[in-house]
Amino acid sequence: MTNTPNTLVIRNGTVIDGSGAPARRNDAIVVEGNRIKHVGALPPDIALDDRRNVAVIDAAGQWIMPGLIDAHCHVSYGYPVIKGEGKGRGTTRPEFSTLKAARSVQKVLRSGVTGISVPGGTWFTDVGVRDAIKLGLMEGPRMYVAGRMIVTYGCIEDDEPSWEGTPDHSIGKLCNTGDEMVTEVRRQGKHGVNFIKMADSRSGESQMLAKEEIAAVVAEAHRRNLRVGIHSRGAGSTRAAAEAGVDWIIHADLATDRDLEAVAKAGMPIIPTATFLAMVVELGQKVGAEQVQLDINRMKRHFEALCVLMHKARKLGIKLLVGTDTGNNTFMRYGEVHAKELEIFVKYGDYSPLEAISAATRDNAYAIGLQGQVGELAPGKLADLIVLDRDPLADITVLQGGKHLTHVIKDGKIVDLAPREEMLTFREAAE
Ligand SMILES: [Zn+2]
């Protein structure tokens, strides 16, 4: 049996610790098991030449920071067309979706993303993949997952006609009364979700969920130690969600100043998720609107609203978390755009690169249920780190696509990056 060293020492390099403190030259980061034990000068009791027990990474000339967290990443959407099969969704199967999700999270981890919050998927695929990673069946990021989104008639993800409802392969779960919603919270809790995802209208034109219904879900979820996140672009739904006490709000682009004041007063963060909109606009201009199959002008309006929101929210003291919606469409490829949101925060949200990194690491830990435990390089924290050959403070885009990674360490273990090239170039050609 081969011996895996229990101690990892990362020598040299420049540390960006995630706390917002300026980058600094460092001598040694010591990881014992899955936690960071020490950051600073090399402790005298560490025997660097004891290679049976101590692994050493020399990061001279490189940058060391906490692993990135994507606060909005889906892993169980999408189903390729298989030759010879009908195009109807009747051919989708949970077994295939699970295998696809299991492969996708490998790409996520190898791009330097060591944690993801998964606000909705099909069946209980995401719960299964999370547990397989936790049990050591396979590698992957830390996953914090919801089940299918709770929706009413006309909400986003209520896509089938009413006589079909929302079948199991749908990512929405139709619940048209508060009682049905509470029952669904209990069902999803029983099957192991970490949080409940609610979803209002697609674009926010009208409010689809009543405040009382959101409050009923929050009460039931919190009693069962589950949290609640909501897709809310509209003004009414954002205010209702804030007053009902959800744990985070996704988007909020049409919220008025007074709605945002309600959010600030209630104290929950917002996950704007501008990356998806930026990708639609960029790709639409490149390949034409028909191919992206989304309304580019509408996406542009949402994007511009989110840029305004970022400024307003910061002024009001609302914390913004960093999420991308990777996996919600085939062009939102795993491992490629998880760090694009940081670039948007810097370009359009007035964040410094250092602030964007803290948001995507220390602050984002909240979205994976590990606030204060991960996302910072400090003694006692969980050891999720990445090492880069370029300075992300000089150019925030070097974090994208894993191109400048030399090492990924998750839960104290060095991730083998060798399959990365093949994985990142893998195209789901059949999709
Ligand atoms: Zn999403």
Side-chain angles (χ1 to χ4, degrees), residues 72 74 197 325:
H72 188 165
H74 301 282
K197 170 83 180 284
D325 230 337

Side-chain angles (χ1 to χ4, degrees), residues 61-325:
Q62 306 193 43
W63 289 262
I64 311 157
M65 58 172 268
L68 292 166
I69 297 169
D70 189 338
H72 188 165
C73 177
H74 301 282
V75 301
S76 60
Y77 285 21
Y79 197 82
V81 174
I82 294 177
K83 250 192 169 171
E85 287 197 358
K87 278 191 187 160
R89 292 209 199 147
T91 56
T92 64
R93 290 176 285 267
E95 295 84 353
F96 182 90
S97 291
T98 308
L99 287 168
K100 185 167 167 289
R103 180 172 175 102
S104 300
V105 295
Q106 307 300 312
K107 291 191 250 181
V108 172
L109 178 65
R110 284 174 174 77
S111 72
V113 177
T114 50
I116 55 175
S117 189
V118 185
T122 52
W123 293 280
F124 285 102
T125 307
D126 308 324
V127 174
V129 173
R130 177 202 66 193
D131 290 349
I133 294 168
K134 256 194 185 165
L135 291 170
L137 290 175
M138 58 182 228
E139 282 181 314
R142 297 178 194 278
M143 286 175 67
Y144 196 72
V145 308
R148 288 162 60 195
M149 307 173 193
I150 291 182
V151 297
T152 62
Y153 277 141
C155 285
I156 189 171
E157 313 305 351
D158 171 35
D159 292 331
E160 305 292 337
S162 62
W163 52 90
E164 294 295 338
T166 47
D168 283 0
H169 63 256
S170 159
I171 51 180
K173 171 74 184 170
L174 201 54
C175 299
N176 270 308
T177 67
D179 284 351
E180 285 172 21
M181 291 176 189
V182 167
T183 302
E184 182 61 17
V185 171
R186 291 175 172 162
R187 191 177 82 92
Q188 292 192 6
K190 170 185 159 108
H191 289 292
V193 301
N194 302 108
F195 68 100
I196 302 296
K197 170 83 180 284
M198 301 191 83
D200 201 82
S201 62
R202 184 172 294 274
S203 312
E205 326 70 4
S206 44
Q207 184 181 344
M208 302 281 189
L209 301 170
K211 181 173 133 186
E212 294 70 30
E213 291 167 342
I214 305 171
V217 166
V218 169
E220 186 62 31
H222 284 180
R223 198 150 45 74
R224 289 174 180 246
N225 282 325
L226 306 170
R227 292 155 92 208
V228 180
I230 186 169
H231 165 99
S232 166
R233 291 202 183 274
S237 57
T238 299
R239 169 174 289 268
E243 290 172 358
V246 303
D247 296 281
W248 62 85
I249 296 171
I250 301 173
H251 309 306
D253 30 330
L254 303 181
T256 64
D257 292 6
R258 291 198 45 215
D259 300 325
L260 289 178
E261 279 164 21
V263 176
K265 191 175 158 212
M268 67 277 293
I270 291 174
I271 309 177
T273 319
T275 298
F276 166 60
L277 305 169
M279 288 292 288
V280 171
V281 175
E282 281 172 27
L283 287 171
Q285 278 155 357
K286 232 187 279 171
V287 299
E290 328 70 52
Q291 283 192 40
V292 190
Q293 289 183 330
L294 288 155
D295 181 343
I296 294 177
N297 287 326
R298 184 166 65 80
M299 294 299 168
K300 224 176 182 166
R301 283 199 301 278
H302 282 310
F303 182 80
E304 281 156 12
L306 280 185
C307 293
V308 175
L309 169 100
M310 284 183 208
H311 287 99
K312 283 186 183 169
R314 285 196 97 192
K315 266 196 204 115
L316 288 166
I318 298 169
K319 200 166 266 184
L320 295 180
L321 304 183
V322 181
T324 60
D325 230 337

